[in-house]
Amino acid sequence: VFNMNSRYILYIHLVFNDIIMLALMVLLIILSTVLYTINVSFCIIMLMIAISSNLNNPLTLAAMALECYLAICFPLHHPRICTVKKTYIVIAVIWFLSSLTILPDLFVLVATRPAEYFNSRTFCLWANIFTYPHLEKKRDVSNIICLVIVWLILFYAYFRILFTAQAASSNAKKARNTVLLHGFQLLLCMLSYVHSIMIEGIIKLFPGDARVIRFVISLLIQVTPRLISPIVYGIRDKLFRQYLKRYFLPTTKTDIYPEKLEKKPI
């Protein structure tokens, strides 16, 4: 069921990106705490994957909002437009767009740094690797453009669903609530953009507790939102709840495989 529905494929892709981002972030925190400095090349690879997966999050939310919009406003065309093949094409485009925002930084770094630099060791932070001011400005501009586009898509999808002729139906109401939830998830994602600013400001007040501050702020801003949003979105879905109850709270074997229940003769 989940492999043949574009909505669930996009949702699993959202969770998959969160898993990648959280796993790399936790690994970097552990390495930075234990070793403090790590190899620059290894740090660059981990940062690029983590940042790509982080950028994929709002783009996937935009794709999920458009899927809800098509399902409600164009129900007859939805099965033709939102096919499994086209969904995977959308996921590939999402990864391509997120890569475009960080690959230029890598090319600039390779062109301006000597080969010995990539074998050196450093504290693994994006600001420590990509030290050029224009790269930071480019990153801010690309993040702003991405967020503006995603917010426009969310608002467009929400108001089109709100004013559609089927707005009185339960499915339309559920779709509106889903798009609102995507907006809430996007707000949580935006906390990552104030991550470095908060850390720098608090470290100035408490310079002796830099490691503890980085760990706590990362836990609150990066980890907590990614634990909340998938759980809320998954549990509120009727089909997910059905299978969660079946597989995690089974009473008999027939609860897990009800289709195998033999019919008794009358």
Side-chain angles (χ1 to χ4, degrees):
V1 173
F2 298 136
N3 288 331
M4 299 303 295
N5 190 308
S6 59
R7 181 175 307 169
Y8 296 114
I9 294 173
L10 289 171
Y11 170 62
I12 294 302
H13 178 251
L14 182 72
V15 177
F16 178 71
N17 275 279
D18 287 341
I19 291 173
I20 293 176
M21 196 269 177
L22 290 176
L24 291 177
M25 193 199 72
V26 171
L27 180 59
L28 283 174
I29 290 175
I30 294 173
L31 291 176
S32 300
T33 303
V34 176
L35 303 177
Y36 191 73
T37 60
I38 61 176
N39 181 268
V40 170
S41 299
F42 179 65
C43 174
I44 291 173
I45 293 173
M46 295 185 67
L47 285 176
M48 291 188 67
I49 297 174
I51 292 172
S52 293
S53 60
N54 190 36
L55 291 172
N56 287 343
N57 202 296
L59 297 176
T60 305
L61 291 176
M64 294 172 73
L66 287 176
E67 190 277 333
C68 288
Y69 160 69
L70 291 172
I72 298 301
C73 298
F74 302 96
L76 298 179
H77 298 285
H78 177 264
R80 176 176 58 84
I81 299 174
C82 299
T83 62
V84 173
K85 182 179 179 180
K86 291 180 179 178
T87 304
Y88 284 113
I89 292 175
V90 169
I91 291 175
V93 170
I94 289 173
W95 278 94
F96 175 73
L97 291 176
S98 63
S99 300
L100 282 181
T101 61
I102 57 175
L103 283 178
D105 297 3
L106 178 63
F107 295 152
V108 170
L109 189 68
V110 172
T112 56
R113 293 286 188 175
E116 295 78 11
Y117 173 76
F118 298 95
N119 293 323
S120 61
R121 299 176 69 87
T122 185
F123 186 78
C124 192
L125 284 177
W126 184 266
N128 291 346
I129 302 293
F130 302 89
T131 56
Y132 299 99
H134 61 276
L135 291 181
E136 184 177 355
K137 293 180 180 179
K138 182 198 72 66
R139 184 187 61 180
D140 294 338
V141 170
S142 62
N143 288 337
I144 291 171
I145 292 174
C146 174
L147 287 175
V148 168
I149 293 174
V150 172
W151 275 117
L152 289 175
I153 291 174
L154 288 178
F155 280 122
Y156 176 79
Y158 177 76
F159 286 108
R160 284 300 302 267
I161 293 171
L162 183 66
F163 296 115
T164 190
Q166 303 176 9
S169 67
S170 59
N171 288 334
K173 291 179 180 179
K174 183 178 179 182
R176 293 202 306 268
N177 294 334
T178 299
V179 175
L180 283 177
L181 180 59
H182 293 334
F184 174 67
Q185 289 176 281
L186 187 59
L187 284 174
L188 295 177
C189 293
M190 290 174 65
L191 291 176
S192 61
Y193 298 121
V194 299
H195 178 243
S196 58
I197 298 175
M198 288 186 64
I199 289 178
E200 291 174 4
I202 299 175
I203 287 178
K204 289 180 180 178
L205 297 175
F206 306 99
D209 301 319
R211 291 189 182 185
V212 177
I213 291 170
R214 290 185 185 279
F215 177 77
V216 173
I217 297 298
S218 298
L219 189 68
L220 293 176
I221 292 182
Q222 300 285 9
V223 178
T224 306
R226 285 169 173 79
L227 291 177
I228 294 174
S229 57
I231 292 175
V232 172
Y233 185 85
I235 291 178
R236 69 184 292 273
D237 185 88
K238 183 178 179 180
L239 192 60
F240 263 110
R241 283 203 310 272
Q242 174 186 341
Y243 282 96
L244 282 171
K245 289 179 181 179
R246 179 182 298 181
Y247 285 95
F248 286 93
L249 300 173
T251 56
T252 63
K253 291 183 178 180
T254 56
D255 289 334
I256 302 179
Y257 303 105
E259 63 275 5
K260 295 185 178 182
L261 182 61
E262 297 182 358
K263 295 182 179 180
K264 296 182 180 181
I266 300 175

